[in-house]
Amino acid sequence: AAGAPKPLPSSGPKSLREMPHPLATSSSEEMGPALTPSPDLLLPRSIADKDLTLPNGTPVDTSSPASSSSLLNRLQLDDDLDGETRDLFVTVDDPKKHVCTMETYITYRVTTKTTRAEFDLPEYSVRRRYQDFDWLRNKLEESQPTHLIPPLPEKFVVKGVVDRFSEEFVETRRKALDKFLKRITDHPVLSFNEHFNVFLTAKDLNAYKKQGMALLSKMGESVKYVTGGYKLRSRPLEFAAIGEYLDTFSLKLGTIDRIAQRIIKEQLEYLVELREYGPVYSTWGGLEVELSEPLEGVSACVGNCCTALEELSEDMTEDFLPVLREYILYSESMKNVLKKRDQVQAEYEAKLESVALKKEDRPKVPTDVEKCQDRVECFNADLKADMERWQNNKRQDFRQLLMGMADKNIQYYEKCLTAWESIIPLLQDKPETK
């Protein structure tokens, strides 16, 4: 549905201290009803009764708690969190490498499909490089300072450690850039931003960069927030709770990220040893004819376990770690918005003090003080609404992430179990022929 951007829903008078903290260690009674299982986590009978098979083709008895079906398929994930009618769809795909005299870089195809009246055409396809995405994010921060802008993946990589032109790195970055645009697309205010419109539609984005967006409305950029000269006395309890939560959240995620990287490193080291382990049995089998069959079986079994472990490590690297890093960056973005809110409140408090110190009686509050108060209220409402939206997205993303991780681990151990069970008949005693 075309038209003006919808106002963000307000979280109302409810204090964030009343909201359950997902990292808290308090009892279930203190956490309240928020931790009770959602109905969409229950396994529908139609799925539970369905015959399922493992990746290796083995039938699965879903009545057994030890068996694995796809845990993600058991979850009914609702992509439309707000029940809003979606009228804008954006995807990032088809990365291409460009080699020029001065530099080598990657571009990505950005495809847009929409029914909004703000767009002249129903479909667009443009190519963008990373610095274009970075330009967009900076413009969104400038023109929408009261809102949480989704993070971009880190620009720089450690030279010699990660090849930024490798297929794996480019694909990981493509997924992150696609997620970045989808976050903006799903936002009821950011998705209507004129800079975003230009990013999606302009064939030559550099022309707009040079013009400084002079042809576009500057209403969003007209409000400039003071960055110094004022000191906030104290944050309201609600926003102090947000700050404390973000500090704890980013600390916990950083710890999980470091541990996960260490686990992956140790898995890869184990994989190197395991790959040397299997051929030893094959060589041994060539020396002893009577033992050749079971030894070759063990060698093949170890090879299958190597393949399963390699797939598990790839899934952790490509699917698990990027989500952790995105939310670490997300928490930093939220902290920056919180600081901007504090600066506006500090400015407002300073102006009130200035008015109070003046001896002459004034019949009403000066206009600049009223405008500053409006900015504070606008910041408060937008920040609370974006925090609520971010919490909803976070619960959705981490539920899917952790269920996927559990599913991948179960599949890994099932593949190893199947491989070892396949050689048991070769190792059992056979009756001697007379």
Side-chain angles (χ1 to χ4, degrees):
K6 304 174 185 176
L8 278 173
S10 172
S11 62
K14 181 180 178 181
S15 170
L16 286 181
R17 290 189 180 277
E18 299 171 13
M19 298 172 62
H21 195 306
L23 299 177
T25 56
S26 43
S27 64
S28 59
E29 290 79 4
E30 294 172 338
M31 293 299 287
L35 292 182
T36 56
S38 174
D40 59 358
L41 284 175
L42 300 178
L43 178 62
R45 182 173 298 275
S46 59
I47 299 179
D49 294 341
K50 184 178 179 181
D51 292 334
L52 299 170
T53 59
L54 298 177
N56 57 18
T58 306
V60 174
D61 178 14
T62 54
S63 62
S64 170
S67 65
S68 165
S69 60
S70 175
L71 299 180
L72 284 178
N73 288 340
R74 296 188 181 191
L75 270 178
Q76 296 178 346
L77 297 175
D78 182 11
D79 292 331
D80 197 354
L81 295 175
D82 303 314
E84 299 171 356
T85 301
R86 294 177 182 270
D87 52 10
L88 181 63
F89 300 88
V90 181
T91 57
V92 178
D93 59 9
D94 189 29
K96 286 186 179 179
K97 185 177 181 180
H98 301 261
V99 181
C100 303
T101 305
M102 299 298 293
E103 63 176 337
T104 301
Y105 60 93
I106 303 291
T107 64
Y108 304 85
R109 181 175 62 190
V110 178
T111 304
T112 304
K113 295 183 180 181
T114 183
T115 57
R116 290 186 181 180
E118 292 82 6
F119 294 84
D120 297 328
L121 301 173
E123 186 170 347
Y124 295 86
S125 180
V126 295
R127 296 203 72 84
R128 298 286 184 254
R129 54 187 298 186
Y130 180 88
Q131 66 181 26
D132 297 330
F133 288 84
D134 192 42
W135 170 86
L136 170 62
R137 190 179 190 282
N138 290 333
K139 285 299 181 182
L140 289 176
E141 280 195 328
E142 292 175 9
S143 57
Q144 310 281 177
T146 63
H147 287 289
L148 172 61
I149 311 302
L152 277 172
E154 295 94 339
K155 180 177 183 179
F156 300 104
V157 296
V158 180
K159 189 174 182 181
V161 177
V162 178
D163 178 9
R164 66 189 184 96
F165 298 115
S166 67
E167 290 185 10
E168 295 80 6
F169 178 80
V170 171
E171 176 61 16
T172 300
R173 172 162 284 186
R174 183 203 65 78
K175 289 180 180 179
L177 296 176
D178 183 74
K179 178 66 71 67
F180 169 71
L181 292 188
K182 282 181 168 54
R183 300 282 196 202
I184 299 173
T185 300
D186 292 342
H187 197 284
V189 174
L190 299 181
S191 63
F192 285 89
N193 185 278
E194 289 173 296
H195 301 294
F196 186 46
N197 185 305
V198 168
F199 176 87
L200 297 178
T201 61
K203 288 295 182 184
D204 184 12
L205 191 60
N206 290 326
Y208 285 90
K209 291 180 180 180
K210 293 175 183 178
Q211 294 172 9
M213 304 294 288
L215 299 178
L216 296 179
S217 168
K218 295 294 182 178
M219 291 181 62
E221 297 180 359
S222 62
V223 181
K224 298 297 181 182
Y225 297 99
V226 180
T227 58
Y230 302 105
K231 187 174 181 180
L232 182 66
R233 288 192 183 130
S234 63
R235 278 178 178 167
L237 291 178
E238 186 172 14
F239 297 104
I242 292 180
E244 293 172 3
Y245 170 83
L246 292 173
D247 288 339
T248 304
F249 179 72
S250 58
L251 179 64
K252 296 295 184 184
L253 276 197
T255 303
I256 294 173
D257 180 61
R258 289 191 297 273
I259 294 174
Q261 291 189 61
R262 190 162 65 243
I263 290 174
I264 292 173
K265 179 176 179 293
E266 291 174 356
Q267 283 179 339
L268 294 177
E269 292 173 350
Y270 171 59
L271 184 59
V272 171
E273 300 290 339
L274 201 59
R275 282 176 174 155
E276 296 178 358
Y277 189 49
V280 173
Y281 286 94
S282 182
T283 305
W284 182 12
L287 299 176
E288 300 196 40
V289 178
E290 293 182 356
L291 296 176
S292 62
E293 189 176 6
L295 290 175
E296 287 289 349
V298 172
S299 178
C301 173
V302 172
N304 290 335
C305 291
C306 287
T307 302
L309 181 59
E310 186 176 13
E311 292 173 354
L312 178 64
S313 298
E314 288 177 357
D315 289 328
M316 288 281 289
T317 303
E318 297 174 5
D319 298 330
F320 185 74
L321 291 182
V323 176
L324 294 182
R325 288 166 185 166
E326 182 197 15
Y327 271 93
I328 291 173
L329 295 173
Y330 234 136
S331 63
E332 294 303 317
S333 298
M334 180 63 84
K335 289 178 185 178
N336 290 334
V337 179
L338 195 58
K339 289 178 182 177
K340 292 178 184 177
R341 193 218 71 86
D342 292 346
Q343 291 164 4
V344 176
Q345 182 184 337
E347 180 188 2
Y348 173 59
E349 291 175 352
K351 288 184 182 295
L352 281 180
E353 284 185 3
S354 178
V355 171
L357 290 174
K358 291 183 179 180
K359 294 182 180 180
E360 63 269 18
D361 295 331
R362 290 178 176 269
K364 62 177 184 178
V365 179
T367 304
D368 61 333
V369 178
E370 291 180 341
K371 289 182 178 179
C372 193
Q373 182 183 13
D374 291 341
R375 292 206 299 269
V376 173
E377 293 176 353
C378 179
F379 240 120
N380 291 347
D382 289 349
L383 182 57
K384 287 194 293 184
D386 276 6
M387 184 68 178
E388 184 177 340
R389 172 178 288 273
W390 181 72
Q391 290 281 19
N392 288 335
N393 286 334
K394 177 171 63 63
R395 282 191 289 269
Q396 187 86 348
D397 290 341
F398 275 92
R399 179 173 62 173
Q400 185 172 3
L401 176 73
L402 297 176
M403 292 296 290
M405 183 174 67
D407 198 34
K408 295 296 183 182
N409 274 276
I410 291 172
Q411 289 182 25
Y412 162 70
Y413 287 109
E414 282 181 333
K415 289 176 181 177
C416 292
L417 178 63
T418 302
W420 285 108
E421 286 180 339
S422 67
I423 66 168
I424 290 178
L426 301 177
L427 303 176
Q428 290 175 336
D429 294 333
K430 297 181 180 179
E432 296 181 3
T433 55
K434 295 182 180 180

